[in-house]
Amino acid sequence: MSLWVDKYRPTSLGKLDYHKDQASQLKNLVQCGDFPHLLVYGPSGAGKKTRIMCLLRELYGAGVEKLRIEHQTIVAPSKKKIEINTIASNYHLEVNASDAGNQDRVVIQELIKTVAQSQQIQSSTQREFKVVLLTEVDRLTKDAQHALRRTMEKYMSTCRLILCSNSTSRVIGPIRSRCLAIRVPLPSTEEVCNVLTSVCKKEGLLLPPELAKQISEKSGRNLRKALLMCEACRVQQYPFSADQDVPETDWEVYLRETANAIVSQQSPQRLLEVRARLYELLTHCIPPDIIMKGLVTELLRNCDGQLKTEVSHMAAYYEHRLQLGNKAIYHLEAFTAKFMAMYKKFMEDGLEAMMF
Amino acid sequence: MDEYDELFERQDDFDDQFADELEVLAEMEMDSSKPRGRQSQGPGDDISDIEHLLDNQPITPKAKRQKQEAGVVKRLFSTSQSLESKAPSQSADITPPSSPEQFEPSHTFRSAPAELDISGFATFPATPLRPHTVAPASLRVLKRPPLEGEYISVTDSSGTRVYLRQKEDAETKIVESRMVPNSQGSLGLLALPVSVMREQEAERRHQQVVEESQRLSELLASSVNDVCVEPESRDDEVEDDDDGDDEGRTSRLWVDRFSPRHYTELLSDDFTNRCLLKWLKLWDTVVFGKERKTRPARSDRQATNQHTFKPNQGNQNPNRFKTKMEMTEEILEAELDQYKRPKFKVAMLSGPPGLGKTTLAHIIAKHAGYNVVEINASDDRSAEVFQKRIDTATQMKSVLGSNERPNCLIIDEIDGAPVAAINILLATLNRKDGHGGEATTETAKKKKKKETILLRPIICICNDLYVPALRALRQQAFLLTFPQTQPSRLTQRLAEISLQQGMKADTGTLMSLCEKTDNDIRSCINTLQFLHGRGHKQLNAKTIQSIAVGQKDQNKGLFHLWQEIFQLPRTKRKRIGEGFEEAPGSGGGAQRFQHILHLSSSSGEYEKVSQGLYDNYLSMRVRDPNMHCVCEALEWLSFSDRLNQMIMHNQNFTLMKYLPFLPVTFHFLFAHTHVPRISYPHSHHEATSRLLSSRNALSSMLADIPACIRTRISQLSLTLDILTLLLNIISPKLRPVNPQLFSTREKEQMRELINTMLAYNLSYRQDRTPEGQYTYVLEPRVEEVVRFPSLPPHRQLTYQAKQTISREMEQERMRRAEQLMLQRNPAAKDKDKKSAVPKTTSNHQQRLENIVKQTTVETRPEVDFFGRAIAPKPQRAQKSSDTGEKCPVLAMGTAVGNSDVWFRFNEGMSNAVRRNVYIRELL
């Protein structure tokens, strides 16, 4: 527990640094000792998980923090064994069902049912329900999500579900309607700066406000990343200087270079080079949709107003296909090629307009 | 037969080269002497009949041979003999066969090589041959009035009316209308005007002349022997068929009916045939006990070589690499091994289907005097059964019946056999023990297990020589690859068959059939039979082109397919003759479309194919300045990807039919006249394996992260946010000094670093590079997961720093492990604690106190007379202490027992000074 991220993570709803209104609402929600199924969503690094854990602590007391990792083996109907790790306390169970890949439906069905079906023995001392925390719900397959629908209703008396996802767009409607949706937005730049300063203070360090601002901007207001960056800065150089360079994640740098390569030249040969880079990104476990998003963000910086809408439209089109398909590289490359064609045409048109 | 003697005289070296072949032929002749005799005496008048056909032909010097050929022609046409004799006027039309030596195109309109007179067929009527002989009566008594010719209607007493055809008119008309169109064409009975037919005829003849001249030159070049040998065996077969199975005719496959029965009838390549036969003859020594013939000197042989089948190249250049043929020859010349077996115990025939591999093996084995035992894919080829069958076939011999010949095992379709079975075969080949001649050891071994060496030839047949299962066998086998059957020979055979079956088909048609089936004999004959069964009595090139059968659903290699896709077809040299469509693949868009579609759908490996296209299309030389083609291609790729996903996910396999269109699109987008350089698609596989390895690294890292941290991070956040920065954080600047000398601040930093690394399950492991240097590498290897090539490298810790960290981590880990152990069993801890701190003191203190007490004062509880404890006693004691009277016990205790170290004298013991020491105090 020595990274700052872990060390200074708030553990109760009262201690949360930002979105205090929401925190108090959550407190009120569990005041009566019960709550509906929750769907907590928001971008990564906004503090969804922290909030959920605070909520659970509010509900069950410090006992939720005694966690253990359990390896579970589930046998699918096809006799295939699925290994999955769960993190559990006496009161709740956390599962990332998307670890099971295509077999996540089986995991949902089996695991949640066994948890939900078992009644609490001593309901006088404990709550009468357990909580199942499902993370990365948006990466669940449709089958698994459908498998969840009935389970949610059927075992309402013994179990509450908290679903945690990055966006609701990939959660099917029936599930959204069964849950109380809680959006956890990213903290604002000031909030990030405040958190960084207070953490540094606790560490006995002095953080110049300029650096804090720079970090929070570079991290894209992702608090986890901001804290890590801050710590990396600390390791790199202390005392801090205001214009220190902030270390970045490699994949972002690489993606930016790729985007630059696309903009600088448009030809099949360049496309071949870009393909190699895209493969590189994919093999470093960067999800294709994030590659696509990052690529578009970088490319849009080089586009004119008119082209911007077209490019984003194409990006949405190919991203959708990417979700439907299986081989991400085809769709990423298709987007790249399309962009190249569009950009080239745009540039040539612009050149002609200049000539005449 | 004397003509062989004649041949021998003429060609001395020939004897050597074809010794085995000739031997077999000699045997064969003895078999066939009976029918031959019949033939020679029987059709004496026939010969004369034919001879008058020959009158406009220059007399050949080899009269004997000529005569025989004529006989052949005679026999082939025996069914139509009566017609022939009735229409002698047509003799000018029927071109008599000429011997190949005499061939001169200028002399005759069209001429054929001796063994197969195709030219004759064309003019003979196809229709009246077989179908009419079945019911000759009904030919003249008809239920309805005949379409042509005169007839008489007859009504019988019961009122049924029949029509009688006037015989002589009809007969002549049929003949005349077909045979002599020029004389009777004016009757208007012909479908086509005479002039048109004439033109067609002339054109066809011209075509045949050209083709046959080509073929003849080939034949002449290869070997003269076959030419003169083939016909006589042919007519044997014809005879067989004619008198043999009239009733089973319709049910039997033509492929079986017309399969070769003798060595000379084989259509496959002569060289291959000869090699296999030679190899089989090598077994004679061990199987039949014949002595091997002594071979003439090597130089002789080479001359023969040169003469017979390498007339141009020869061995003029001694430094040249040996050709494959010579290599094969050499193998066959190699010495026998110690058991007098040939060096290679197994012959392996390989080649695409329908070239006659199985037929060749059977026929050669039969001719060489073996009894054929065949194992093919339809048999159970599990290891045990296979072993049993091999043993049975190679070690036993049938004793009952006339079939007392030794076995020759033919393992057909061996490329489909399981590896276990092939291993058994190999084991059988390599058996060494036993048969050396030492009787004593042999008997001893025989008692244990009966294992004898292989003494019978085995012939394996496969389509694909490079199946992984055959790898080991390939090393030990005499490999024979089948070349393509020569289209000319195949066409001849087809012509014979169609003639016999009464189908009318010209050479051009048959050639196109051969081309369509890629010279697959079986496929050709099957197609012919199919057409015959459908009632096509007259074939032309159009029918062949349009019909869907006969097209093999074969898959050429993937590379071939990719090549076809990326290469525009060359415009092929236009073939002779008008009936020919252009070859598939050339020509217009529609044909190219169909061609590629056919190829891709027959290959079936859509996944591989599209991957190959994806990997290669960008390196094609296509001018595409606006990248439209590329966009289009990727559009299609992503379409097929979605299609695949749909197929796999929903099991909706009907969508599969849309997959082969992807290659077609690519063909139209990227095909170029240049020969494309295609590389095998590795990228996808490589990417998946790399992805897997980085996933594994991440999950192995995640697996041991403690739960309180584990719950906050996922694999995704690890790769996206944490890992790069974490690696930065755990490589701080450390002073390269002994950690003992660190300042408190540095120590604090070090402690934090180690805590972090432990929390995130990272550690350094000492590793030795191939250069022999020691390095510390981060374990698990997540560094590779987050680091990208071509980015500036991150700061690395020095070796010393890593070493220090690693050592400190070890210590920290031990500390934690101990703590954990203590936590695990709190009872032990409590006891330990008691014993460690208070008990150690109390232990010796108590003991000392007791000793002191015992020696100084008796501290017995005071009791009264009845044994009851007296209450006020302690009070009094306190009082006494209060008053300042030193209790002797306490005095003693402070003096002796209060120090940590104590000493007790034990006589003869050295461990007098004791102290409990724990690991944690040493760390």
Side-chain angles (χ1 to χ4, degrees):
Chain A
M1 293 290 265
S2 69
L3 282 184
W4 296 354
V5 198
D6 301 319
K7 221 195 289 186
Y8 301 107
R9 196 191 297 277
T11 50
S12 74
L13 285 171
K15 284 185 200 160
L16 290 173
D17 295 298
Y18 51 91
H19 306 329
K20 297 206 172 175
D21 296 350
Q22 194 187 47
S24 64
Q25 276 174 352
L26 285 178
K27 201 167 190 169
N28 291 335
L29 182 72
V30 292
Q31 204 82 64
C32 57
D34 200 357
F35 65 93
H37 298 307
L38 296 182
L39 170 59
V40 183
Y41 66 98
S44 109
K48 299 181 293 295
K49 205 61 172 294
T50 311
R51 242 150 252 262
I52 292 168
M53 290 312 282
C54 290
L55 188 82
L56 288 178
R57 192 188 149 90
E58 191 76 26
L59 200 65
Y60 292 110
V64 252
E65 281 165 9
K66 277 192 155 181
L67 297 169
R68 58 187 184 272
I69 294 179
E70 288 172 351
H71 302 273
Q72 303 231 15
T73 312
I74 296 159
V75 182
S78 59
K79 298 284 188 296
K80 193 186 171 192
K81 280 187 179 171
I82 305 160
E83 306 258 336
I84 195 154
N85 288 337
T86 61
I87 301 162
S89 74
N90 287 333
Y91 308 102
H92 84 289
L93 175 78
E94 183 187 329
V95 191
N96 186 356
S98 57
D99 284 349
N102 281 330
Q103 302 281 336
D104 52 359
R105 186 176 59 88
V106 186
V107 173
I108 294 274
Q109 283 171 341
E110 296 299 315
L111 205 62
I112 297 180
K113 264 185 202 166
T114 46
V115 172
Q117 279 171 340
S118 58
Q119 298 274 348
Q120 295 287 346
I121 302 164
Q122 275 185 304
S123 58
S124 56
T125 55
Q126 296 167 333
R127 308 275 169 195
E128 59 267 32
F129 55 82
K130 262 188 146 183
V131 170
V132 175
L133 173 55
L134 284 176
T135 54
E136 296 185 18
V137 181
D138 46 354
R139 293 191 181 270
L140 285 185
T141 59
K142 290 280 178 292
D143 287 347
Q145 296 193 26
H146 283 296
L148 207 53
R149 290 167 60 170
R150 191 80 189 104
T151 322
M152 287 173 93
E153 283 173 353
K154 205 173 174 183
Y155 304 109
M156 189 69 190
S157 60
T158 53
C159 147
R160 298 284 179 280
L161 285 174
I162 300 181
L163 312 178
C164 183
S165 77
N166 279 339
S167 100
T168 53
S169 65
R170 255 176 277 158
V171 180
I172 57 171
I175 288 185
R176 268 186 280 171
S177 85
R178 280 171 175 77
C179 295
L180 175 68
I182 298 171
R183 175 171 142 79
V184 185
L186 283 175
S188 66
T189 318
E190 290 76 47
E191 282 164 339
V192 175
C193 289
N194 288 342
V195 173
L196 290 179
T197 324
S198 70
V199 165
C200 284
K201 209 166 163 189
K202 281 180 201 160
E203 277 284 310
L205 307 169
L206 194 68
L207 183 72
E210 295 84 10
L211 184 63
K213 199 161 165 48
Q214 203 196 335
I215 290 174
S216 69
E217 271 163 10
K218 271 228 162 146
S219 64
R221 287 148 66 204
N222 176 340
L223 193 61
R224 185 197 295 128
K225 219 163 165 182
L227 279 167
L228 282 164
M229 280 177 170
C230 190
E231 195 174 353
C233 284
R234 153 80 182 79
V235 167
Q236 209 172 55
Q237 180 188 351
Y238 188 80
F240 291 121
S241 66
D243 54 349
Q244 188 175 353
D245 28 303
V246 180
E248 280 180 284
T249 47
D250 278 355
W251 68 270
E252 283 172 310
V253 180
Y254 196 76
L255 193 59
R256 197 178 310 134
E257 284 180 8
T258 310
N260 291 339
I262 294 171
V263 170
S264 64
Q265 192 195 331
Q266 292 87 34
S267 67
Q269 277 62 44
R270 181 50 64 94
L271 191 59
L272 209 54
E273 288 162 30
V274 170
R275 178 197 292 178
R277 295 182 77 96
L278 289 175
Y279 260 134
E280 196 71 39
L281 280 164
L282 283 174
T283 52
H284 283 72
C285 292
I286 312 289
D289 47 343
I290 287 179
I291 297 177
M292 181 74 102
K293 198 178 153 200
L295 210 55
V296 177
T297 323
E298 294 296 333
L299 289 176
L300 282 181
R301 283 191 194 148
N302 293 298
C303 291
D304 255 6
Q306 174 60 32
L307 204 56
K308 264 183 183 153
T309 56
E310 273 181 56
V311 170
S312 355
H313 175 243
M314 283 334 290
Y317 176 75
Y318 284 107
E319 214 260 307
H320 181 235
R321 295 192 143 196
L322 184 108
Q323 301 299 338
L324 295 177
N326 187 29
K327 284 187 182 161
I329 190 78
Y330 288 176
H331 307 280
L332 288 175
E333 190 170 312
F335 170 67
T336 314
K338 193 78 193 168
F339 176 81
M340 280 183 172
M342 276 161 63
Y343 191 76
K344 200 165 187 184
K345 186 160 184 301
F346 181 78
M347 294 304 271
E348 277 166 4
D349 287 354
L351 213 63
E352 271 176 25
M354 293 240 297
M355 300 268 273
F356 302 111
Chain B
M1 294 289 267
D2 43 3
E3 68 185 85
Y4 286 111
D5 300 335
E6 195 182 309
L7 271 174
F8 290 166
E9 281 162 23
R10 255 189 287 145
Q11 297 178 321
D12 284 341
D13 47 354
F14 198 83
D15 171 38
D16 168 46
Q17 187 59 38
F18 295 91
D20 293 327
E21 222 170 338
L22 294 171
E23 199 177 322
V24 166
L25 285 175
E27 283 168 21
M28 200 177 80
E29 271 148 23
M30 304 213 312
D31 291 346
S32 60
S33 58
K34 227 187 322 172
R36 185 163 293 282
R38 184 154 55 92
Q39 178 203 347
S40 57
Q41 51 148 324
D45 51 340
D46 288 352
I47 290 172
S48 65
D49 212 347
I50 293 289
E51 229 143 88
H52 82 261
L53 297 177
L54 289 168
D55 51 9
N56 66 341
Q57 191 69 14
I59 303 299
T60 61
K62 288 200 287 176
K64 205 169 217 171
R65 194 157 153 199
Q66 186 70 21
K67 199 170 175 185
Q68 201 195 356
E69 278 150 11
V72 173
V73 175
K74 179 79 222 87
R75 194 129 292 280
L76 283 174
F77 301 152
S78 58
T79 47
S80 56
Q81 201 58 55
S82 57
L83 283 176
E84 217 173 293
S85 52
K86 267 178 194 159
S89 61
Q90 73 195 31
S91 60
D93 241 332
I94 305 167
T95 315
S98 64
S99 74
E101 290 86 352
Q102 297 271 310
F103 177 72
E104 275 168 319
S106 59
H107 277 213
T108 50
F109 223 154
R110 55 205 163 87
S111 61
E115 83 268 35
L116 280 176
D117 191 340
I118 314 162
S119 55
F121 300 170
T123 46
F124 272 98
T127 27
L129 284 183
R130 198 154 306 287
H132 291 281
T133 54
V134 178
S138 65
L139 196 70
R140 286 167 198 122
V141 183
L142 301 167
K143 287 269 169 63
R144 291 191 198 86
L147 287 173
E148 47 186 349
E150 293 180 23
Y151 61 89
I152 303 163
S153 62
V154 177
T155 315
D156 66 2
S157 54
S158 60
T160 49
R161 170 171 290 186
V162 292
Y163 301 93
L164 300 183
R165 179 181 278 171
Q166 282 184 344
K167 182 188 165 193
E168 63 285 341
D169 282 2
E171 280 290 320
T172 46
K173 236 162 225 166
I174 291 168
V175 171
E176 280 164 3
S177 63
R178 305 294 167 99
M179 290 297 156
V180 276
N182 45 2
S183 61
Q184 302 277 327
S186 56
L187 286 175
L189 295 170
L190 295 168
L192 286 168
V194 178
S195 54
V196 177
M197 284 179 83
R198 251 192 199 148
E199 271 173 28
Q200 281 178 355
E201 192 68 18
E203 181 65 41
R204 201 167 56 207
R205 279 177 198 173
H206 174 66
Q207 185 186 324
Q208 280 167 359
V209 165
V210 173
E211 270 167 16
E212 276 155 18
S213 68
Q214 279 175 358
R215 195 183 59 224
L216 266 177
S217 53
E218 276 170 27
L219 284 174
L220 276 174
S222 65
S223 81
V224 196
N225 194 17
D226 287 331
V227 179
C228 60
V229 158
E230 280 221 9
E232 68 208 4
S233 48
R234 272 246 53 87
D235 59 4
D236 280 353
E237 185 209 328
V238 169
E239 211 158 35
D240 273 5
D241 281 336
D242 279 349
D243 50 31
D245 35 26
D246 254 307
E247 67 283 354
R249 178 144 299 176
T250 44
S251 58
R252 268 181 78 184
L253 275 179
W254 286 7
V255 179
D256 296 335
R257 272 183 60 204
F258 297 103
S259 73
R261 284 175 181 68
H262 297 290
Y263 180 79
T264 46
E265 292 170 28
L266 290 167
L267 281 181
S268 44
D269 179 56
D270 293 328
F271 177 72
T272 318
N273 299 352
R274 201 159 50 235
C275 282
L276 187 65
L277 183 60
K278 270 192 173 176
W279 175 81
L280 205 57
K281 281 285 171 191
L282 289 180
W283 283 91
D284 278 1
T285 328
V286 63
V287 177
F288 298 105
K290 280 185 205 166
E291 263 313 302
R292 203 175 174 217
K293 277 177 214 145
T294 46
R295 300 275 165 192
R298 177 137 182 82
S299 57
D300 244 27
R301 231 182 47 70
Q302 272 181 358
T304 323
N305 258 356
Q306 237 169 4
H307 179 74
T308 46
F309 48 86
K310 297 231 110 210
N312 300 326
Q313 299 172 4
N315 285 1
Q316 295 122 341
N317 186 357
N319 296 330
R320 197 171 48 87
F321 284 111
K322 285 168 189 159
T323 61
K324 209 171 172 193
M325 275 189 178
E326 285 165 354
M327 295 276 277
T328 320
E329 288 282 322
E330 233 160 65
I331 288 172
L332 288 176
E333 288 303 314
E335 282 303 305
L336 302 181
D337 69 356
Q338 51 171 332
Y339 307 113
K340 297 184 177 169
R341 300 179 297 175
K343 186 167 164 255
F344 292 99
K345 318 292 181 291
V346 172
M348 177 116 84
L349 308 180
S350 62
L355 296 187
K357 297 182 293 297
T358 313
T359 316
L360 170 68
H362 275 263
I363 285 183
I364 283 190
K366 217 167 74 189
H367 282 339
Y370 291 94
N371 175 35
V372 177
V373 178
E374 186 182 331
I375 303 177
N376 57 30
S378 62
D379 300 316
D380 183 8
R381 291 196 285 196
S382 61
E384 303 84 45
V385 182
F386 199 67
Q387 171 83 67
K388 211 170 128 196
R389 291 200 60 165
I390 287 185
D391 288 346
T392 328
T394 54
Q395 291 168 11
M396 301 185 192
K397 185 177 167 184
S398 66
V399 281
L400 290 173
S402 57
N403 205 357
E404 284 187 31
R405 291 185 293 181
N407 288 332
C408 169
L409 182 62
I410 296 180
I411 307 173
D412 206 350
E413 292 141 19
I414 199 173
D415 41 358
V419 185
I422 290 174
N423 286 340
I424 283 179
L425 177 61
L426 277 171
T428 316
L429 297 185
N430 294 332
R431 262 184 220 158
K432 282 266 185 277
D433 57 335
H435 213 3
E438 301 90 271
T440 50
T441 54
E442 194 180 344
T443 47
K445 264 176 190 164
K446 262 188 182 169
K447 267 171 199 166
K448 209 161 57 184
K449 193 181 178 195
K450 199 191 163 196
E451 282 218 329
T452 47
I453 56 161
L454 180 74
L455 292 174
R456 295 286 178 267
I458 296 179
I459 301 173
C460 298
I461 300 170
C462 63
N463 284 338
D464 185 2
L465 188 56
Y466 297 98
V467 168
L470 292 181
R471 192 172 295 150
L473 188 60
R474 257 199 329 261
Q475 316 283 331
Q476 302 200 13
F478 171 61
L479 300 178
L480 270 178
T481 319
F482 263 63
Q484 288 269 320
T485 317
Q486 283 177 4
S488 53
R489 296 179 72 176
L490 180 54
T491 318
Q492 285 166 9
R493 179 63 58 86
L494 289 178
E496 284 170 41
I497 290 168
S498 57
L499 177 84
Q500 270 196 40
Q501 294 304 326
M503 288 176 83
K504 195 173 162 152
D506 58 25
T507 322
T509 313
L510 294 176
M511 284 291 267
S512 76
L513 179 62
C514 296
E515 193 171 320
K516 189 167 188 182
T517 55
D518 277 335
N519 299 326
D520 177 342
I521 302 168
R522 179 176 8 196
S523 176
C524 280
I525 297 178
N526 278 339
T527 311
L528 270 188
Q529 185 176 14
F530 174 76
L531 290 172
H532 182 257
R534 278 286 191 81
H536 292 267
K537 294 288 179 269
Q538 183 143 13
L539 287 182
N540 54 21
K542 259 281 173 7
T543 331
I544 296 291
Q545 290 283 338
S546 59
I547 204 157
V549 288
Q551 223 163 16
K552 261 195 292 184
D553 199 16
Q554 63 174 353
N555 48 349
K556 301 256 180 76
L558 281 169
F559 274 99
H560 175 260
L561 177 55
W562 289 324
Q563 185 124 2
E564 286 279 318
I565 289 167
F566 282 125
Q567 192 172 16
L568 278 178
R570 287 214 192 84
T571 42
K572 278 187 188 161
R573 179 173 50 89
K574 189 123 169 83
R575 281 194 172 278
I576 327 134
E578 79 281 16
F580 275 103
E581 298 292 313
E582 281 174 336
S586 63
Q591 251 175 349
R592 274 161 62 197
F593 186 96
Q594 291 297 343
H595 177 57
I596 300 287
L597 187 63
H598 173 70
L599 278 182
S600 67
S601 53
S602 63
S603 97
E605 292 172 285
Y606 302 127
E607 192 73 23
K608 270 258 171 61
V609 171
S610 64
Q611 193 60 43
L613 294 176
Y614 174 67
D615 271 25
N616 287 303
Y617 81 98
L618 282 180
S619 30
M620 289 304 128
R621 281 191 251 174
V622 176
R623 249 182 66 75
D624 188 18
N626 294 324
M627 314 245 328
H628 286 314
C629 285
V630 174
C631 286
E632 181 72 19
L634 281 165
E635 197 78 6
W636 270 86
L637 274 175
S638 77
F639 167 69
S640 74
D641 176 40
R642 282 181 299 152
L643 217 53
N644 259 325
Q645 176 79 354
M646 198 60 91
I647 290 165
M648 293 305 161
H649 211 254
N650 302 352
Q651 263 102 55
N652 193 353
F653 289 98
T654 48
L655 293 176
M656 206 100 152
K657 62 187 169 195
Y658 297 108
L659 286 176
F661 287 93
L662 178 77
V664 180
T665 317
F666 270 74
H667 175 69
F668 280 101
L669 287 175
F670 297 107
H672 202 269
T673 41
H674 286 279
V675 179
R677 192 168 298 152
I678 284 162
S679 57
Y680 192 81
H682 291 293
S683 63
H684 182 67
H685 180 251
E686 207 174 296
T688 8
S689 60
R690 277 172 63 198
L691 183 63
L692 200 67
S693 78
S694 26
R695 284 236 173 95
N696 285 341
L698 284 177
S699 54
S700 71
M701 178 181 170
L702 277 174
D704 283 338
I705 290 180
C708 53
I709 295 176
R710 176 74 181 77
T711 173
R712 310 295 175 145
I713 56 175
S714 63
Q715 196 164 318
L716 201 59
S717 65
L718 204 60
T719 46
L720 290 184
D721 302 340
I722 299 173
L723 215 46
T724 326
L725 298 168
L726 181 66
L727 293 184
N728 278 354
I729 290 168
I730 61 165
S731 50
K733 285 172 194 142
L734 289 175
R735 271 200 301 154
V737 291
N738 192 324
Q740 310 292 338
L741 302 175
F742 279 165
S743 65
T744 44
R745 205 192 167 88
E746 280 169 334
K747 272 187 182 157
E748 180 67 16
Q749 202 182 3
M750 184 60 136
R751 206 176 54 75
E752 272 186 12
L753 168 68
I754 283 159
N755 275 342
T756 312
M757 284 184 67
L758 285 175
Y760 282 90
N761 186 30
L762 296 170
S763 61
Y764 285 113
R765 191 169 55 84
Q766 200 176 33
D767 213 357
R768 216 181 124 138
T769 57
E771 291 87 53
Q773 288 178 324
Y774 284 99
T775 50
Y776 277 98
V777 290
L778 205 60
E779 191 83 358
R781 304 194 163 225
V782 285
E783 235 169 345
E784 290 148 24
V785 179
V786 290
R787 299 280 189 243
F788 284 87
S790 80
L791 285 188
H794 287 256
R795 189 158 41 82
Q796 285 281 326
L797 288 175
T798 56
Y799 180 78
Q800 281 79 14
K802 281 182 180 171
Q803 195 174 26
T804 314
I805 291 170
S806 151
R807 202 169 54 83
E808 292 286 316
M809 274 181 69
E810 277 305 304
Q811 291 186 353
E812 179 65 26
R813 214 176 268 151
M814 281 165 77
R815 251 177 246 143
R816 287 194 184 183
E818 190 170 292
Q819 257 176 23
L820 201 70
M821 201 190 68
L822 290 183
Q823 275 172 6
R824 282 255 172 82
N825 37 0
K829 189 181 75 179
D830 285 350
K831 209 175 86 185
D832 197 46
K833 261 189 187 154
K834 270 175 203 157
S835 64
V837 198
K839 215 178 176 180
T840 38
T841 49
S842 68
N843 202 12
H844 63 268
Q845 270 176 350
Q846 273 175 1
R847 205 184 294 168
L848 284 174
E849 274 167 20
N850 279 340
I851 294 163
V852 171
K853 276 174 199 164
Q854 275 165 15
T855 48
T856 52
V857 259
E858 296 277 292
T859 50
R860 275 183 209 155
E862 282 188 46
V863 286
D864 63 358
F865 179 75
F866 300 103
R868 287 176 298 189
I870 293 163
K873 257 294 196 236
Q875 269 189 342
R876 202 196 49 163
Q878 263 186 345
K879 264 176 203 165
S880 67
S881 64
D882 283 343
T883 51
E885 264 181 89
K886 268 192 182 170
C887 176
V889 180
L890 290 177
M892 291 290 282
T894 47
V896 183
N898 272 1
S899 80
D900 267 356
V901 181
W902 53 282
F903 174 82
R904 185 178 166 199
F905 178 70
N906 270 352
E907 238 177 321
M909 295 286 278
S910 60
N911 57 353
V913 179
R914 291 186 172 188
R915 190 186 156 114
N916 290 325
V917 178
Y918 291 89
I919 291 287
R920 78 176 101 83
E921 289 154 18
L922 299 177
L923 288 172

